[in-house]
Amino acid sequence: MSMTTRTAHRVSRISTGVLITLLFGIPLAYVLMISFQTPTQFIRDPMSLSQGPTVSNYSAAWTQGDLGQQLMNTVIYSVAAAAISTVLSLLIAYPVARRLVRWHRWIYISFVIGMCLPIPVIPLFVQAQRMHLFDNRIGYIVLHLEMGLPLGVLLLTAFVAGIPEELDHAALLDGSSYLGFLARIVLPLAWPSIVIVFLYSLLGVWNDIIGPIVFLASADLFPVTRGVYQFYGSNTSAWTTMSAAIVIVSLPVMTLFIVSQRQLLRSTLGAST
Amino acid sequence: MYIGLFLGLAVFAAFGVLPTAANILISFTDYTSLPGTGTSFTGWSNYVAMATTQLPGFMDSLKATVIFVVGVTVIQNAIGLMLAHRMQGDSRSAAVLRVLCFVPIVLGVTVVGLIWLLLFDPAGGPATSVFGFFGVQSAFFGSDSLAMPLVITVQVWQNLGFTTVLFIGGLKAIPASIYEAAALDGVNAWKRFHKITWPLMAPSVTVNILFAVIGSVTTYNLIYVLTDGQYGTNTLGMLAFNSAFGATADLGYGAAVTTVLFVITVILALPVAALLRGRERRILG
């Protein structure tokens, strides 16, 4: 490669870096900065911290917004729904991938269709009321179980199909039960895929905003999405407190992302090939 | 084994298949969640209402949906492709950038929506300052002309990381030896892209475009946070939601709009299904 093309490459690489940092970094950094501004600073000069940083927005957001309770609700809903949904995905994916049932092809196709079609929220609302799933914790979790299934079944079927079948026979000769076999042989092998399925289901439930609005009515059951959205509705111009609330509710899921980003991105990279 | 499979399929049937069937049924009724009202079958009346604009907004929603879907699909894929081309490296900085553009997906629509409402707050956000410097005033998300472009922008911002990472996957699948051979022959950069990269990354382009189309046809959660469907952003998904859960509480009409949305999605999704079936054949034999 010649000197000029090498320089051109470097310039284009650096300019892309700057562009992406501006495009994604600035909005996030700006919200972080606002969360440390005093309300008068935000009105007079929203672009700086000249009046000095303050943490009072954080205590205000925490006490006004009931964020502790809502974060707890979100964690309960998303961890429970994602965990059960991941287990169900494996329970479906294994027999389908091994072609142990006659209808394996149709089961697979129905999940492909499920992946493309959205879940209609209107009949689910009617179902929630008829099945006593409306406005309670268990019901909210049950209503979210299906959301992670299509992706989970498709990913895990592909994974199980890649595990050599000899392992099954070896384990069956050992006299393992089916569940014991799944737990001791398949689960450790499929662990990276299991984690991905779990994380994507978790994010789906964690970030759902329509679900909490349609399926819940009592304020003490609200997850953070509805909590922070409602907070915005009743304090439209209180942006400093709002920003602190945004930072607080984002911290747990950002921490989880930073810990798992390597796996999450690698699996997404592989999805298109 | 059968019990496990049955449990999984029961959940899928009860909360995936049943709602889809029930939605079609409800669309032929005057079902409402207002207290003290009965429900009866009303035939095609909800569909007639849509076509004849007895209830306002269906045609506007159809138009808004087309603008939204085309805008999001084109912009998201164009920028994603550009970024992917330059972010595919193994360097540390490329890895950091990939993580950075994935952040909005993790933050979710509520937080992302609120961040952009803050940035474009007409009462004193940074956009108001910047535009004010040039003597321009706007209500941004509350403006008939700017709301839709802004909603498209935020939707793209939200999902760009996913598109970019899928494209990077497609680029990485191209063997480096082809580029080395091209470099030896002195093939220029444009020709390398046009003759090697573009045709060989075709699968990831297909996946990305179809995902963007299907994803944006039905989605309305971000629009709900940003504008609640006002100012020309009332896409079909948003219309269905607001008909059913807004003041009118007209679940029947909402379900009918959803059914139309299903039909549109199925027509658009057939290529995806074909694609995934090809993949299934590779996996299941």
Side-chain angles (χ1 to χ4, degrees):
Chain A
M1 226 184 275
S2 71
M3 264 313 255
T4 49
T5 54
R6 196 171 297 170
T7 320
H9 267 265
R10 180 167 296 170
V11 168
S12 97
R13 241 200 353 258
I14 291 172
S15 61
T16 312
V18 172
L19 186 76
I20 294 171
T21 314
L22 287 175
L23 200 62
F24 290 95
I26 295 280
L28 303 174
Y30 184 76
V31 172
L32 198 61
M33 186 184 80
I34 299 292
S35 74
F36 290 106
Q37 282 182 343
T38 60
T40 50
Q41 164 100 66
F42 179 69
I43 291 161
R44 292 211 187 110
D45 179 16
M47 311 296 256
S48 81
L49 271 174
S50 57
Q51 288 186 5
T54 169
V55 292
S56 62
N57 298 318
Y58 283 86
S59 49
W62 187 261
T63 48
Q64 288 172 34
D66 204 12
L67 294 176
Q69 169 78 53
Q70 289 162 358
L71 270 173
M72 184 64 92
N73 289 337
T74 293
V75 170
I76 293 171
Y77 298 149
S78 50
V79 171
I84 299 171
S85 175
T86 308
V87 171
L88 291 177
S89 296
L90 183 64
L91 289 174
I92 300 170
Y94 184 80
V96 169
R98 285 288 188 255
R99 286 176 260 175
L100 297 173
V101 281
R102 195 187 294 164
W103 303 105
H104 66 91
R105 186 171 288 272
W106 287 106
I107 295 173
Y108 188 90
I109 290 170
S110 63
F111 282 99
V112 170
I113 297 168
M115 182 95 179
C116 298
L117 285 183
I119 307 160
V121 70
I122 294 167
L124 265 187
F125 167 73
V126 178
Q127 265 180 272
Q129 297 202 310
R130 299 274 157 97
M131 297 165 81
H132 304 289
L133 301 171
F134 180 76
D135 200 30
N136 65 70
R137 284 209 170 81
I138 307 271
Y140 191 79
I141 293 168
V142 171
L143 287 165
H144 279 84
L145 289 181
E146 201 277 334
M147 288 168 87
L149 278 187
L151 182 75
V153 170
L154 298 191
L155 274 178
L156 291 178
T157 303
F159 190 88
V160 171
I163 303 176
E165 252 177 272
E166 290 75 37
L167 279 175
D168 300 21
H169 304 310
L172 288 176
L173 285 177
D174 280 354
S176 306
S177 70
Y178 173 63
L179 284 181
F181 163 70
L182 280 188
R184 273 182 293 112
I185 315 272
V186 179
L187 206 62
L189 279 173
W191 193 246
S193 306
I194 300 260
V195 170
I196 295 307
V197 171
F198 177 78
L199 283 176
Y200 270 114
S201 317
L202 182 104
L203 277 181
V205 184
W206 190 292
N207 289 328
D208 187 16
I209 175 73
I210 301 300
I213 285 176
V214 175
F215 304 138
L216 296 174
S218 315
D220 58 325
L221 298 180
F222 289 172
V224 277
T225 45
R226 179 158 180 189
V228 83
Y229 182 68
Q230 189 150 306
F231 193 73
Y232 164 73
S234 47
N235 307 273
T236 311
S237 48
W239 275 114
T240 53
T241 328
M242 209 38 241
S243 299
I246 290 176
V247 174
I248 294 172
V249 303
S250 304
L251 275 178
V253 74
M254 277 307 292
T255 313
L256 184 71
F257 173 56
I258 288 164
V259 174
S260 63
Q261 45 90 7
R262 208 175 279 270
Q263 270 187 317
L264 207 62
L265 286 183
R266 197 188 298 138
S267 73
T268 314
L269 269 175
S272 57
T273 53
Chain B
M1 184 191 81
Y2 291 106
I3 297 170
L5 179 67
F6 176 78
L7 266 178
L9 291 180
V11 168
F12 182 63
F15 301 106
V17 182
L18 178 63
T20 309
N23 186 76
I24 297 170
L25 198 68
I26 295 172
S27 76
F28 291 106
T29 69
D30 57 359
Y31 199 106
T32 155
S33 56
L34 296 174
T37 45
T39 304
S40 52
F41 279 96
T42 54
W44 291 92
S45 74
N46 287 319
Y47 295 91
V48 173
M50 250 183 262
T52 56
T53 62
Q54 277 174 27
L55 286 170
F58 180 77
M59 286 303 155
D60 290 340
S61 287
L62 196 61
K63 200 178 112 196
T65 309
V66 172
I67 297 172
F68 181 73
V69 170
V70 173
V72 168
T73 306
V74 170
I75 299 171
Q76 189 166 303
N77 283 288
I79 301 180
L81 189 58
M82 253 163 21
L83 292 184
H85 200 240
R86 291 161 183 197
M87 278 162 62
Q88 54 173 322
D90 294 319
S91 68
R92 213 183 152 70
S93 59
V96 170
L97 291 178
R98 285 200 289 268
V99 171
L100 190 61
C101 71
F102 219 76
V103 167
I105 294 163
V106 176
L107 290 180
V109 288
T110 315
V111 166
V112 165
L114 290 174
I115 289 175
W116 282 80
L117 284 173
L118 164 63
L119 294 174
F120 283 88
D121 186 1
T128 301
S129 307
V130 173
F131 281 78
F133 183 78
F134 296 104
V136 181
Q137 279 191 325
S138 173
F140 299 114
F141 286 106
S143 134
D144 282 326
S145 55
L146 271 183
M148 181 54 99
L150 279 171
V151 163
I152 292 174
T153 307
V154 182
Q155 176 79 16
V156 170
W157 193 80
Q158 160 93 49
N159 293 306
L160 192 58
F162 196 73
T163 306
T164 307
V165 173
L166 280 182
F167 273 136
I168 292 174
L171 287 173
K172 279 195 189 279
I174 303 171
S177 57
I178 298 181
Y179 288 110
E180 284 157 17
L184 280 179
D185 290 344
V187 177
N188 67 37
W190 166 244
K191 261 199 158 158
R192 274 206 304 273
F193 177 77
H194 183 60
K195 298 281 183 193
I196 301 171
T197 312
W198 183 248
L200 286 180
M201 70 184 302
S204 65
V205 175
T206 316
V207 169
N208 254 329
I209 289 180
L210 290 172
F211 275 5
V213 170
I214 292 173
S216 55
V217 162
T218 53
T219 189
Y220 59 89
N221 45 16
L222 186 66
I223 301 176
Y224 175 76
V225 175
L226 290 172
T227 63
D228 195 15
Q230 290 175 290
Y231 313 110
T233 60
N234 206 16
T235 58
L236 289 173
M238 196 72 253
L239 174 70
F241 179 85
N242 278 334
S243 306
F245 301 108
T248 55
D250 194 343
L251 291 145
Y253 185 68
V257 175
T258 309
T259 306
V260 170
L261 208 49
F262 273 161
V263 174
I264 297 174
T265 313
V266 168
I267 293 167
L268 294 170
L270 284 176
V272 180
L275 203 88
L276 286 169
R277 278 210 64 184
R279 192 183 160 89
E280 167 222 12
R281 281 207 196 87
R282 285 212 307 275
I283 294 165
L284 292 174

